[in-house]
């Protein structure tokens, strides 16, 4: 493969209620010319159904973390690698940073170094994104934006999301070249234009200059 072209893995991250879904549907429309593969975690393969059941039944955090990692492995093999191998751009709504941020909190009481444990689980086989857009929003505002039924899910209580967002920010601070912080309080169309511009700029860069 040459040094030019679109081979790119882009991820969109943020706490529940940060506006990811709105952004992703707008990108779906506006990036059609680049022909990206839109995908998501959890749930892009049947393994995701198991993960959703585990969330609903509130299994213990270690089981839950391992299921999310299994979902990631299946997602990589079924969707991400084939798309990248076919020279397609991939845009994933949530990816490994969701595990680092969410399971990092869920595992706090169970494992001495949750982030280290989670990183070790992914090392050697995962694909690191080229760029990650992190939607940042005050937690009370995010909760206000959630539909009623979502607000009741166990992932979505305030103190928990504060910690998740804290983890996201630490991840972004540790890898400033990969993360782009997006102010999720901006109007949806401004967020969309900003992220779309970022993706197009990245797609124009020679591959050798991108982070891999
Ligand atoms: P998702 O279906 O993306 O929720 P939403 O439609 O509300 O964005 O994800 C379900 C929940 O799973 C969400 O609260 C984030 C959480 N999650 C993790 O805890 N770990 C992970 O690795 C992933 C991918 C998601």
């Amino acid at each position: 493969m040459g040094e030019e072209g679109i081979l790119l893995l882009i991820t969109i991250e943020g706490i529940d209620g940060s506006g990811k879904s709105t952004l992703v549907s707008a990108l779906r429309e506006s990036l059609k010319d680049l022909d990206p593969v839109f995908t998501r975690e959890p749930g892009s393969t049947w393994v995701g159904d198991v993960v959703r059941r585990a969330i609903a039944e509130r299994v213990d955090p270690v089981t839950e973390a391992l299921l999310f990692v299994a979902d990631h492995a299946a997602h990589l093999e079924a969707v991400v690698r084939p798309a990248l191998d076919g020279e397609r751009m991939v845009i994933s709504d949530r990816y490994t940073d969701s595990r680092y941020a969410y399971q990092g909190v869920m595992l706090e009481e169970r494992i001495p170094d949750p982030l280290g444990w989670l990183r070790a689980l992914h090392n050697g086989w995962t694909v690191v994104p080229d760029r990650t857009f992190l939607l940042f929003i005050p937690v009370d505002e995010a909760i206000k934006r959630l539909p009623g039924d979502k607000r009741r899910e166990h992932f979505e209580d305030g103190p928990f999301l504060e910690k998740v967002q804290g983890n996201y920010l630490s991840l972004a601070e540790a890898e400033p070249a990969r993360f782009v912080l997006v102010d999720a309080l901006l109007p949806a169309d401004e967020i969309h234009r900003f992220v779309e511009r970022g993706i197009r700029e990245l797609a124009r860069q020679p591959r050798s200059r991108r982070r891999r």
Side-chain angles (χ1 to χ4, degrees):
M1 283 188 286
E3 287 295 303
E4 301 296 324
I6 273 177
L7 182 69
L8 265 181
L9 172 59
I10 288 161
T11 61
I12 316 278
E13 296 279 359
I15 57 172
D16 305 82
S18 60
K20 273 185 312 94
S21 312
T22 309
L23 171 62
V24 171
S25 14
L27 292 173
R28 236 180 232 279
E29 285 306 306
S30 66
L31 290 175
K32 278 193 171 140
D33 57 310
L34 298 180
D35 194 28
V37 172
F38 280 91
T39 185
R40 60 174 303 152
E41 289 190 8
S44 52
T45 69
W46 65 266
V47 185
D49 300 339
V50 181
V51 173
R52 286 186 195 287
R53 180 165 168 200
I55 296 175
E57 297 194 9
R58 305 190 180 192
V59 294
D60 84 278
V62 174
T63 308
E64 181 184 81
L66 293 171
L67 288 172
F68 273 119
V69 176
D71 178 64
H72 177 60
H75 181 215
L76 271 187
E77 289 317 299
V79 180
V80 178
R81 284 189 198 282
L84 295 175
D85 288 348
E87 307 263 299
R88 303 269 303 274
M89 175 195 282
V90 177
I91 301 179
S92 187
D93 178 353
R94 296 195 182 284
Y95 195 76
T96 301
D97 295 303
S98 282
R99 266 166 315 283
Y100 294 165
Y102 283 79
Q103 273 62 58
V105 180
M106 296 297 286
L107 292 167
E108 257 176 2
E109 310 287 311
R110 292 288 299 276
I111 285 175
D113 172 18
L115 183 58
W117 186 82
L118 289 161
R119 282 194 191 283
L121 273 180
H122 289 79
N123 278 353
W125 58 271
T126 191
V127 178
V128 179
D130 297 285
R131 201 62 104 238
T132 298
F133 292 91
L134 172 58
L135 297 181
F136 175 81
I137 187 169
V139 167
D140 50 352
E141 190 57 39
I143 289 174
K144 265 191 248 158
R145 293 180 180 195
L146 288 170
D149 57 329
K150 283 263 177 191
R151 238 174 275 166
R152 285 188 292 274
E153 274 176 29
H154 84 120
F155 271 123
E156 294 163 348
D157 58 300
F160 174 75
L161 288 180
E162 289 286 0
K163 287 187 186 179
V164 172
Q165 184 143 267
N167 282 350
Y168 268 134
L169 292 176
S170 308
L171 292 165
E173 224 177 305
E175 282 187 83
R178 173 162 71 90
F179 277 89
V180 178
L181 235 69
V182 183
D183 178 358
L185 286 176
L186 289 171
D189 62 326
E190 270 184 54
I191 295 175
H192 170 220
R193 276 201 303 274
F194 174 76
V195 174
E196 184 191 352
R197 212 166 39 239
I199 293 175
R200 287 189 184 281
E201 273 166 23
L202 200 59
R204 279 195 296 270
Q205 282 178 19
R207 258 182 244 159
S208 52
R209 286 185 45 216
R210 295 181 201 145
R211 193 194 164 284
R212 258 250 166 252

